[in-house]
Amino acid sequence: MKYPVLLAALLAGTSFMANAQQAKPEDTEVWEPVPKVVTPAARPGDAPSDAIILFDGTNLDQWVQNNDGSPAKWDVKDGVLTVNKNYGNIETKKAFTNYQLHIEWREPVGLEGTGQGRGNSGVFLASIGKGDAGYELQVLDPYNNKTYVNGMAGSIYKQAIPLANPGRPNGEWQTYDVIWTAPTFNTNGTVKTKARVTVLFNGVLVENNFELWGPTLYIGKPEYKAHGAAPIKLQAHGDKSIPLSYRNIWVREL
């Protein structure tokens, strides 16, 4: 290295050291905005202080029928909400964008049928119309029940295969903890950002910030259509097996 180049390097190093010495710890401290205080639940899985309670075991005041907006008609007994297949899907009165959702579900003992015909339901993370229009997190008997893997419990229906199957036997309560980031759209209706979802199934990560291709479909290729905030929907599937149940449903808007 020639002397002029060496001198320049030494001077640059000296300047760097001087700047570093002038820097202070408080230069990188951020004091505002202060995060709000949230009181956690006393027991894991229970709702924190800022949650919206969607079902507490007593009534369906937060829900309506998806087909006509009338009061929800599923069965509530002993703190449990059981699907009533005679009335179809139900959805929340309130619409949501981004949120944290906790929901517990239980397949009944004595289930008959196989595959998609065995304890089928779904949590639609955004309901964008009648019937099964929306983005579905599959609910299905997860225990020794063979089906297509992008339709098993914990899947984003026909889009994302779960990373594991931590399902419990029939008769035991299962839990989903979901982080939902809604899609956004440009003023001309084109997609600005796609929907993303993270799902923990019985405490096990099964969907890791998965980017959805569009609403979930039984047949065909998903395609986004512009929409805004949307209700959360529970499915009354038409399979012939005896109905499953839900409990302890709450959501935190993000």
Side-chain angles (χ1 to χ4, degrees):
M1 181 181 292
K2 296 183 179 180
Y3 288 113
V5 177
L6 176 60
L7 179 60
L10 290 172
L11 290 173
T14 302
S15 176
F16 173 80
M17 292 297 294
N19 290 335
Q21 290 173 356
Q22 292 173 0
K24 300 176 181 178
E26 54 266 30
D27 292 342
T28 51
E29 295 173 357
V30 179
W31 288 74
E32 292 182 338
V34 178
K36 66 179 181 180
V37 175
V38 174
T39 304
R43 298 181 303 174
D46 286 353
S49 61
D50 64 342
I52 299 170
I53 308 301
L54 297 178
F55 178 70
D56 66 358
T58 62
N59 61 67
L60 285 172
D61 290 351
Q62 299 297 320
W63 300 82
V64 294
Q65 292 297 137
N66 165 253
N67 59 347
D68 61 7
S70 64
K73 299 176 178 65
W74 286 11
D75 303 321
V76 177
K77 184 179 180 181
D78 298 330
V80 173
L81 170 62
T82 300
V83 177
N84 190 318
K85 298 185 182 184
N86 295 321
Y87 294 107
N89 302 342
I90 64 172
E91 65 185 23
T92 58
K93 292 179 178 179
K94 183 175 174 61
F96 301 94
T97 49
N98 306 328
Y99 59 77
Q100 172 189 350
L101 172 69
H102 177 90
I103 186 167
E104 301 176 15
W105 52 279
R106 181 180 65 188
E107 299 286 357
V109 175
L111 269 180
E112 296 181 352
T114 59
Q116 296 292 302
R118 187 177 174 87
N120 199 327
S121 183
V123 180
F124 283 80
L125 304 172
S127 172
I128 55 174
K130 306 293 186 185
D132 294 340
Y135 308 80
E136 181 184 7
L137 168 59
Q138 178 72 36
V139 173
L140 191 74
D141 179 9
Y143 200 75
N144 295 328
N145 180 35
K146 188 174 181 179
T147 188
Y148 45 90
V149 293
N150 60 348
M152 64 187 290
S155 68
I156 303 303
Y157 186 69
K158 290 207 172 171
Q159 292 194 33
I161 301 166
L163 301 173
N165 178 8
R168 297 188 173 103
N170 297 343
E172 297 186 21
W173 286 100
Q174 324 269 359
T175 65
Y176 281 157
D177 288 287
V178 182
I179 307 299
W180 172 252
T181 302
T184 62
F185 300 90
N186 297 305
T187 54
N188 64 358
T190 58
V191 177
K192 185 176 182 180
T193 59
K194 295 181 179 179
R196 301 193 312 276
V197 65
T198 295
V199 180
L200 284 87
F201 181 3
N202 292 333
V204 177
L205 183 68
V206 295
E207 303 293 351
N208 187 14
N209 199 33
F210 175 74
E211 187 176 82
L212 279 76
W213 312 333
T216 51
L217 299 175
Y218 179 47
I219 300 173
K221 182 179 179 181
E223 182 178 352
Y224 280 102
K225 293 183 180 179
H227 63 84
I232 297 167
K233 179 166 57 184
L234 301 181
Q235 184 187 46
H237 192 270
D239 69 286
K240 296 181 180 179
S241 62
I242 53 180
L244 68 152
S245 300
Y246 291 94
R247 72 175 185 186
N248 191 22
I249 309 173
W250 53 263
V251 64
R252 295 181 62 245
E253 295 181 287
L254 302 177

